[in-house]
Amino acid sequence: MIKTFCITMSHRGIHEILHRLNLSYTRPTYVLKKADKEKQEEFKVTFEDLKKLINGELAHLLFEDESMIRDYQAIQKTWFKKGQRRKIPTYGKNAGVKLIGILDYGTGKVYCEEHERYDAVVFERFLKCILEQYPTGKIVMILDNARIHHAKLLEPFLYENKNRLELVFLPPYSPELNLIEGLWGWLKSRIINNAFYPTLSRVSEAVQRFITHINKTPTEIIDRLCIKM
């Protein structure tokens, strides 16, 4: 039996009802079809074990990744005069700032470097810098399976520092398990989306200002990026 109720609901009223049902208005996200669910679950177990070692056998648990912050990243919705659109200038080029960064799961610290390219030499130099940033204690770095992370060039360095630094690789096709991915989205949303920078150096300056700013409130970084798994 079909019943009809003569009830008119406003957009706001429907929104409040859906909110009470613990629903939120969110954009879908891509999930890579090739991902191995079993390996992802195994990683989650490994991650839980690593968390238990923090401040014990393990001093620092870091998530690492690379990202390119383009001079015009994306356009997103914004409030503007009805019947009109906000217009964002662009040169239409494909330039960007190449970043390598880490997110410290325990402290919320974020550290990023800018480089002209991504290769094994640059990555090894970055790892040396991380050891300088954390001069004492065992470091476990969680990262994806990019080619530069598995380069043979790294083997002597990793062997020499095996008591200080261990690399733990994510399952293939699992970017959602790398917590620093949330940093890149946060950064782009705050400084790039709907913005215009006349030069690439201005993009670099904006990126560094953002990193400096969020590092002043590490608890916000932890709440936003680390409490997910």
Side-chain angles (χ1 to χ4, degrees), residues 35-50 142 168-172 174 177 229:
D36 187 320
K37 296 295 183 183
E38 185 175 341
K39 289 183 179 180
Q40 289 180 335
E41 292 304 316
E42 288 175 359
F43 169 78
K44 291 179 182 180
V45 172
T46 298
F47 182 55
E48 290 299 319
D49 292 339
L50 288 171
I142 297 173
V168 173
F169 292 97
L170 290 160
S174 302
L177 296 180
M229 287 196 295

Side-chain angles (χ1 to χ4, degrees), residues 44 46-55 58 61 105 226 229:
K44 291 179 182 180
T46 298
F47 182 55
E48 290 299 319
D49 292 339
L50 288 171
K51 287 194 293 184
K52 295 174 184 177
L53 297 177
I54 296 177
N55 297 324
L58 175 60
L61 181 56
Y105 181 82
C226 298
M229 287 196 295

